[in-house]
């Protein structure tokens, strides 16, 4: 039976990286019928709103979507389509795995962390205003509820149990934010007490950043509020090898939307230059969600082997800071074709080589 999936190409490099993911999807031979809908700048060009109803209807109907990044104008213009999509579809859990791939582009080979971020409230609730007419002062309201905190922390512990993860760390700023921070902390403690099989601990957000940069192997699943999760997931993506390889997933109670951590990188739009891996790994997560585990594994392995081989990779994976081997950069579409070529050739019985250094943080 064919899976019907909504595809939102998005803005900037979005159409190129989602096209790349489709090429790889085809190579898996999993029957997927894509329903393509436009949101963001392309939807506005077509004379509509940045988030037309047909986009929301399509995702509600199909319950699963692959999405490219969508531009949000800074300071003025329309509100973030990404935030609106999460709020309107109640996609409350943003899950961002940070996996070092083939030990490349990272000081932490074998790193494998997951950031679970509350995605519907906090400082992204959109409740903000200028205090005075001269715009010399402004306020943004941080909304934290027991209901939303409970379901995101439960989600993190369920994920840890399902994926045999070793620990869940709750991150907040309860020492300074005596209401919003304290409520999230209280709920984290209550939920953690119900999941006695999984060790858990807490960190203040500032200390968490410092600890992650020095000792990332000490952490596994991190759960936190919206803004802290946004920042920590970029930080973890950087530790694991950069935005170009970092996928993400948004889950509601019955809907899942897969989108990369990176944005629309407008300066590379239309140049066939952007790294397609993050979007291709979104396809991997999507296939897993659809129950197509073998195909998902093939996609991950084909990405892994393409990066390890370093013959057909985009400019960012060929930079001296990413690799000490001289590599000529390839295009986005060429890298996608190379990954697609490898998908049917992957030997799933052969284990991936172990990382070059032990999984221990430097002292
Ligand atoms: P960005 O992620 O687009 O770019 C940050 C840096 O990473 C840039 O140097 C860019 O060139 C590089 N980069 C990003 N993705 C890459 C890729 N696939 N391959 C190679 N290099 C890549 O972040 P930004 O510049 O802060 O944001 C641009 C726009 O994207 C903004 O309008 C922002 O609101 C939007 N955005 C959207 C989403 C989303 O749709 N979920 C997420 C983040 C940002």
């Amino acid at each position: 039976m064919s899976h019907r999936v909504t595809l939102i190409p998005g803005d900037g490099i979005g159409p190129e990286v989602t096209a790349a993911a489709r090429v790889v999807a085809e190579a898996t031979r999993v029957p997927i019928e894509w329903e393509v809908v436009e949101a963001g700048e392309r939807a506005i060009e077509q004379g509509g709103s940045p988030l037309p109803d047909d986009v929301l209807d399509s995702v509600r109907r199909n319950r699963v979507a692959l999405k490219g990044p969508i531009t949000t104008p800074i300071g003025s213009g329309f509100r973030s389509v990404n935030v609106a999509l999460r709020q309107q579809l109640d996609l409350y859990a943003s899950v961002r795995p940070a996996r070092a791939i083939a030990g490349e582009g990272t000081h932490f080979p074998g790193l494998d962390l997951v950031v679970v971020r509350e995605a519907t409230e906090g400082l992204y609730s959109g409740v903000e205003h200028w205090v005075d007419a001269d715009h010399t002062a402004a306020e943004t309201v941080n909304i934290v509820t027991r209901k939303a905190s409970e379901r995101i922390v439960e989600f993190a512990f369920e994920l840890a149990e399902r994926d045999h993860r070793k620990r869940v760390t709750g991150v907040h700023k309860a020492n300074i934010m005596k209401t919003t921070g304290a409520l999230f902390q209280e709920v984290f403690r209550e939920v953690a007490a119900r999941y006695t099989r999984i060790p858990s601990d807490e960190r203040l957000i500032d200390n968490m950043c410092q600890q992650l940069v020095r000792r990332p192997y000490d952490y596994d699943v991190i759960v936190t509020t919206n803004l802290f999760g946004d920042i920590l997931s970029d930080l973890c993506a950087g530790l694991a090898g950069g935005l170009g390889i970092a996928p993400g997933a948004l889950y509601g109670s019955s809907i899942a939307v897969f989108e990369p951590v990176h944005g629309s990188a407008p300066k590379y739009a239309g140049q066939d230059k952007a790294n397609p891996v993050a979007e291709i790994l979104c396809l991997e997560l999507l296939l897993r969600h659809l129950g197509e585990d073998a195909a998902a594994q093939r996609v991950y392995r084909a990405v892994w082997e393409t990066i390890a081989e370093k013959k057909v990779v985009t400019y960012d994976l060929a930079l001296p800071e990413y690799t000490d081997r001289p590599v000529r950069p390839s295009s986005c579409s060429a890298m996608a074709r190379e990954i697609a070529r490898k998908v049917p050739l992957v030997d799933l019985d052969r284990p991936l080589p172990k990382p070059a250094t032990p999984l221990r943080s430097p002292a």
Side-chain angles (χ1 to χ4, degrees):
M1 203 186 72
S2 179
H3 303 282
R4 205 170 163 78
V5 177
T6 300
L7 181 84
I8 309 169
D11 297 323
I13 59 171
E16 295 157 60
V17 293
T18 50
R22 282 182 73 164
V23 168
V24 176
E26 213 158 294
T28 66
R29 295 183 171 274
V30 171
I32 296 179
E33 209 181 312
W34 300 102
E35 190 172 299
V36 182
V37 287
E38 298 291 353
E41 287 172 337
R42 303 222 297 194
I44 295 173
E45 276 160 28
Q46 289 169 8
S49 94
L51 183 57
D53 285 344
D54 69 318
V55 173
L56 294 168
D57 292 345
S58 171
V59 182
R60 283 194 185 106
R61 203 169 43 243
N62 297 325
R63 290 165 184 249
V64 56
L66 181 67
K67 175 182 165 296
I70 294 178
T71 298
T72 306
I74 293 179
S76 58
F78 59 84
R79 269 196 66 208
S80 167
V81 172
N82 303 306
V83 174
L85 193 75
R86 289 165 204 164
Q87 287 174 345
Q88 299 222 25
L89 297 173
D90 199 23
L91 299 169
Y92 65 89
S94 166
V95 177
R96 292 175 164 183
R99 295 171 291 185
I101 301 179
E104 293 282 347
T106 176
H107 296 295
F108 302 102
L111 186 67
D112 181 8
L113 290 170
V114 190
V115 178
V116 178
R117 159 190 173 195
E118 202 293 320
T120 60
E121 56 176 31
L123 278 159
Y124 287 51
S125 305
V127 184
E128 56 182 348
H129 60 267
W130 294 106
V131 171
D132 59 346
D134 296 333
H135 290 194
T136 63
E139 286 176 347
T140 299
V141 178
N142 184 16
I143 297 173
V144 172
T145 63
R146 169 167 283 278
K147 180 180 167 223
S149 303
E150 231 163 46
R151 67 181 179 175
I152 197 65
V153 177
E154 277 168 5
F155 185 99
F157 276 92
E158 289 293 322
L159 179 146
E161 255 187 5
R162 191 195 61 217
D163 294 350
H164 310 290
R165 297 249 167 203
K166 60 178 189 286
R167 177 168 161 195
V168 178
T169 303
V171 178
H172 53 74
K173 189 71 180 167
N175 56 334
I176 302 296
M177 294 164 157
K178 303 282 189 199
T179 56
T180 50
L183 177 56
F184 188 81
Q185 179 190 42
E186 182 182 296
V187 170
F188 179 79
R189 289 179 178 179
E190 285 169 12
V191 176
R194 281 193 259 127
Y195 288 84
T196 45
R197 287 182 304 281
I198 302 170
S200 63
D201 55 7
E202 290 170 37
R203 293 284 178 275
L204 295 174
I205 178 64
D206 40 349
N207 183 31
M208 185 78 245
C209 294
Q210 189 269 142
Q211 293 263 328
L212 276 171
V213 171
R214 291 184 57 80
R215 321 180 60 84
Y217 294 131
D218 293 357
Y219 297 91
D220 198 343
V221 177
I222 294 166
V223 61
T224 187
T225 47
N226 209 337
L227 175 64
F228 295 160
D230 199 2
I231 296 166
L232 286 183
S233 52
D234 263 42
L235 171 60
C236 292
L239 291 172
L243 281 178
I245 63 161
L250 294 156
Y251 298 96
S253 51
S254 65
I255 294 175
V257 175
F258 299 86
E259 64 171 9
V261 175
H262 67 70
S264 56
K267 69 178 175 197
Y268 295 131
Q271 296 174 34
D272 196 15
K273 193 174 172 184
N275 185 346
V277 166
E279 193 76 50
I280 291 169
L281 292 179
C282 288
L283 169 74
E284 178 222 352
L285 302 180
L286 183 150
L287 288 167
R288 232 174 264 287
H289 178 76
L290 295 175
E292 303 282 359
D293 281 359
Q297 271 191 58
R298 282 187 176 279
V299 170
Y300 182 70
R301 291 286 293 253
V303 165
W304 200 100
E305 286 172 17
T306 304
I307 290 180
E309 203 175 83
K310 276 287 167 62
K311 283 191 182 143
V312 189
V313 293
T314 46
Y315 80 95
D316 54 324
L317 303 181
L319 290 171
E321 73 229 36
Y322 200 86
T323 178
D324 45 16
R325 284 183 278 161
V327 189
R328 262 199 34 225
S330 297
S331 65
C332 170
S333 53
M335 188 173 183
R337 284 195 300 275
E338 178 61 15
I339 294 167
R341 186 184 71 76
K342 285 188 163 69
V343 164
L345 306 176
V346 163
D347 178 2
L348 290 181
D349 294 329
R350 196 164 50 86
L352 283 173
K354 288 261 177 286
T357 52
L359 296 185
R360 202 160 23 82
S361 298

